[in-house]
Amino acid sequence: MNSTPRDTIYASVKGKVDAFKFDQRVVSVFPDMIARSVPGYQSTIEMLPALAELYLQRGAQVYDLGCSLGASALAVAPCAAKRNCKIIGIDNSAAMLKKCQQIIDQYSHSSFIDLLCADLQDVEYRHASMVIMNYTLQFIPIEQRLQLLTKIQQSLLPGGALVLSEKITFQNPKINRDMIALHQAFKRANGYSDLEISRKRAALENVLLPEHYSEHQERLHSAGFSQVEIVCQTLNFCTMLALK
Ligand code: GEK
């Protein structure tokens, strides 16, 4: 799968579970954690070069919001280099960004990527042709999401696009329960124990706040996006495309 250290953060039975934080402990196992926890993560990253070919405009900026270790930024970097676009990766975890810089420095397109340690809500976005927000909006308090998405929409040039990936919920209670069970089966198949699954769920309670697709769709339209579609979905994780 990958050669990074294995995520065993929630394997221990000891102690109470603290709220999930993107700290050094998470950074050191992050590629393994996200690959084994998020169904469709790899496909989402693999789709980005083709999306970049469609939406990157010469000389415009690309944002990777909640860039973590730079997987999304690196996926669009070859296209950004070709079209002379600057990619700005933003994350508010200093530990993530330090490791992200080390990873990016190993790639030939690293000069096209700048990293910024900041809260997404405090940044002034400008001259963007593509904004990527993969599994990050879910960590922003729900009542602050519209303001952030409106700022992002306003920063996009005509023809610009937002790629938004999120964990989602389902309106029908049985389907919702079944999707959660299928997600747990995915994690179990990837080697997480029932203990690890339940401790991680407790850590993410009130930290990761998923919403139904229709709530995203409505909010994206309220933020000014003209078109909103799902481009791919695996169980309770989906990637939406919103056009200016
Ligand atoms: C990937 N996109 O590999 N401001 C800035 N960063 C934030 C904020 C905030 N308010 N809240 C959370 N983050 C990546 C994966 S992970 C998703 C994204 C996950 C950052 C946080 O520090 C973390 O690095 C990232 O958003 C979310 O494609 O772990 O489920």
Side-chain angles (χ1 to χ4, degrees), residues 22 30 41 66 68 72 91-93 118-120 134-136 140:
F22 290 97
F30 187 74
Y41 174 75
S68 299
S72 302
D91 206 290
N92 65 354
S93 161
D119 191 296
L120 297 179
N134 278 339
Y135 314 104
T136 302
I140 304 285

Side-chain angles (χ1 to χ4, degrees), residues 36-79:
R36 289 202 289 137
S37 307
V38 176
Y41 174 75
Q42 204 47 43
S43 324
T44 302
I45 301 296
E46 284 168 6
M47 200 164 54
L48 290 173
L51 287 164
E53 287 292 333
L54 269 183
Y55 297 113
L56 258 57
Q57 298 175 33
R58 187 154 289 284
Q61 317 227 72
V62 181
Y63 288 96
D64 179 7
L65 305 185
C67 63
S68 299
L69 300 184
S72 302
L74 284 166
V76 299
C79 184

Side-chain angles (χ1 to χ4, degrees), residues 19-207:
F20 187 84
K21 271 209 256 13
F22 290 97
D23 57 13
Q24 188 52 53
R25 210 166 54 132
V26 168
V27 171
S28 59
V29 298
F30 187 74
D32 178 74
M33 172 185 276
I34 198 151
R36 289 202 289 137
S37 307
V38 176
Y41 174 75
Q42 204 47 43
S43 324
T44 302
I45 301 296
E46 284 168 6
M47 200 164 54
L48 290 173
L51 287 164
E53 287 292 333
L54 269 183
Y55 297 113
L56 258 57
Q57 298 175 33
R58 187 154 289 284
Q61 317 227 72
V62 181
Y63 288 96
D64 179 7
L65 305 185
C67 63
S68 299
L69 300 184
S72 302
L74 284 166
V76 299
C79 184
K82 227 170 38 188
R83 301 199 189 157
N84 199 26
C85 296
K86 188 57 107 179
I87 304 170
I88 302 158
I90 305 174
D91 206 290
N92 65 354
S93 161
M96 267 304 178
L97 277 195
K98 186 166 174 238
K99 177 81 182 174
C100 183
Q101 189 65 60
Q102 289 167 5
I103 292 171
I104 282 171
D105 286 345
Q106 296 167 20
Y107 286 83
S108 57
H109 299 303
S110 59
S111 60
F112 289 89
I113 306 175
D114 283 346
L115 298 181
L116 176 65
C117 191
D119 191 296
L120 297 179
Q121 297 172 94
D122 299 336
V123 175
E124 288 304 321
Y125 302 97
R126 51 174 294 278
H127 203 61
S129 59
M130 186 171 174
V131 176
I132 305 164
M133 209 176 185
N134 278 339
Y135 314 104
T136 302
L137 189 67
Q138 58 196 16
F139 294 105
I140 304 285
I142 289 178
E143 67 283 3
Q144 293 163 23
R145 293 179 185 179
L146 176 59
Q147 197 188 2
L148 175 59
L149 290 170
T150 303
K151 232 166 51 155
I152 290 169
Q153 194 275 350
Q154 288 168 354
S155 77
L156 282 167
L157 299 165
L162 167 69
V163 176
L164 175 65
S165 301
E166 287 279 289
K167 183 175 189 182
I168 55 168
T169 57
F170 298 85
Q171 275 164 352
N172 178 278
K174 170 151 173 59
I175 290 287
N176 199 51
R177 276 196 310 276
D178 289 355
M179 286 292 186
I180 291 169
L182 288 167
H183 182 212
Q184 289 175 2
F186 168 88
K187 292 182 83 167
R188 233 177 270 122
N190 283 331
Y192 283 115
S193 68
D194 287 343
L195 174 78
E196 285 175 290
I197 294 170
S198 77
R199 283 172 72 81
K200 176 82 176 281
R201 188 171 349 105
L204 284 171
E205 183 101 42
N206 302 319
V207 175

